[in-house]
């Protein structure tokens, strides 16, 4: 019984009621439409963004491949910013053999404190140019989910703001109409109360 009363209170704008105005129904539909756009649109945009980001990360993983290289110059030790951070690496010249058998050299980010002549692993892109190591599948999945959630929240924020603008314009129109009606009816009431 209590649940039925709660539902009736929530849906009062749609129930038959002598005090219900057409504007109440329109306002309720505006609110419902905004929340539906937020729920459905936000979900679709979030899922699509996460899927697209995941595909992009997978494409990068497919295009890049590791290659054994030889360090041409020693890497100087640096102040350690923290294990695994990109700031604890230094640029150094490396030499590797390309697929066509030619020897190539270039500068890559490597761990500090290594001696010249030591073997290192560098990453090449599809055009056989030095690049960074691609994001792992698990890290890429987390990043894709974060991008999807951010896109869904951004869309929800924009939809909510647009809904508030529509509701504000609707309310302003109502206030203006009520003001005009009061200007017509107000003088009649003053005569009766004086």
């Amino acid at each position: 019984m209590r649940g039925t009363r709660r539902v009736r209170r929530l849906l009062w704008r749609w129930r038959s009621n002598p005090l219900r105005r057409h504007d109440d129904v329109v306002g309720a539909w505006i609110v419902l439409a905004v929340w539906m756009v937020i729920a459905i649109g936000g979900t679709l945009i979030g899922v699509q963004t996460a899927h697209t980001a995941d595909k992009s990360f997978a494409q990068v993983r497919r295009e890049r491949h590791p290659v054994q290289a030889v360090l041409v110059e020693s890497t100087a030790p640096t102040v350690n910013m923290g294990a695994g951070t990109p700031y604890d690496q230094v640029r150094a010249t490396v030499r590797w053999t390309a697929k066509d058998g030619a020897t190539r050299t270039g500068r890559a980010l490597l761990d500090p404190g290594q001696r010249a002549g030591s073997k290192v692993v560098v990453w090449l892109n599809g055009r056989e140019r030095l690049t960074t190591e691609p994001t792992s599948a698990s890290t890429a999945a987390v990043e894709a989910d974060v991008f999807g959630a951010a896109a869904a929240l951004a869309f929800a924020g924009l939809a909510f703001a647009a809904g508030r603008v529509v509701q504000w314009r609707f309310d302003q129109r109502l206030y203006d109409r009520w003001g005009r009606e009061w200007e017509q009816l107000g003088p009649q009431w003053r005569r009766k109360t004086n």
Side-chain angles (χ1 to χ4, degrees), residues 122-139:
V122 294
W123 288 83
L124 302 177
N125 62 16
R127 290 178 262 148
E128 297 295 315
R129 293 191 179 145
L130 287 170
T131 187
T132 57
E133 181 179 356
T135 308
S136 68
S138 59
T139 303

Side-chain angles (χ1 to χ4, degrees), residues 41-59:
T43 301
L44 291 175
I45 286 180
V47 167
Q48 182 62 36
T49 301
H51 179 67
T52 302
D54 198 37
K55 276 178 51 177
S56 175
F57 291 140
Q59 178 70 25

Side-chain angles (χ1 to χ4, degrees), residues 12-166:
W12 71 270
R13 292 177 193 239
W14 283 283
R15 286 186 310 147
S16 179
N17 182 335
L19 298 177
R20 182 185 72 181
R21 299 165 298 199
H22 174 71
D23 297 331
D24 295 330
V25 175
V26 171
W29 279 107
I30 290 172
V31 170
L32 180 65
V34 167
W35 283 110
M36 292 300 288
V37 166
I38 288 172
I40 295 170
T43 301
L44 291 175
I45 286 180
V47 167
Q48 182 62 36
T49 301
H51 179 67
T52 302
D54 198 37
K55 276 178 51 177
S56 175
F57 291 140
Q59 178 70 25
V60 168
R61 280 193 305 276
R62 279 191 301 275
E63 289 176 354
R64 296 180 184 180
H65 59 279
V67 173
Q68 282 281 11
V70 176
L71 193 57
V72 175
E73 60 187 6
S74 296
T75 57
T78 62
V79 176
N80 193 2
M81 301 291 285
T85 62
Y87 305 110
D88 65 348
Q89 294 185 324
V90 294
R91 286 210 174 270
T93 304
V94 293
R95 182 178 55 244
W96 73 95
T97 304
K99 287 182 180 178
D100 61 4
T103 302
R104 304 262 168 92
T105 60
R107 293 184 62 78
L109 281 174
L110 300 169
D111 293 330
Q114 298 185 42
R115 296 184 189 267
S118 56
K119 293 187 187 263
V120 293
V121 175
V122 294
W123 288 83
L124 302 177
N125 62 16
R127 290 178 262 148
E128 297 295 315
R129 293 191 179 145
L130 287 170
T131 187
T132 57
E133 181 179 356
T135 308
S136 68
S138 59
T139 303
V142 171
E143 288 182 16
D145 290 344
V146 169
F147 288 145
L153 287 173
F155 177 80
L158 289 173
F160 183 77
R164 291 301 300 156
V165 168
V166 169

Side-chain angles (χ1 to χ4, degrees), residues 157-180:
L158 289 173
F160 183 77
R164 291 301 300 156
V165 168
V166 169
Q167 187 71 41
W168 178 77
R169 289 292 301 144
F170 180 74
D171 289 343
Q172 290 302 313
R173 193 175 62 101
L174 285 178
Y175 298 152
D176 291 343
R177 195 175 82 213
W178 291 342
R180 287 190 303 274

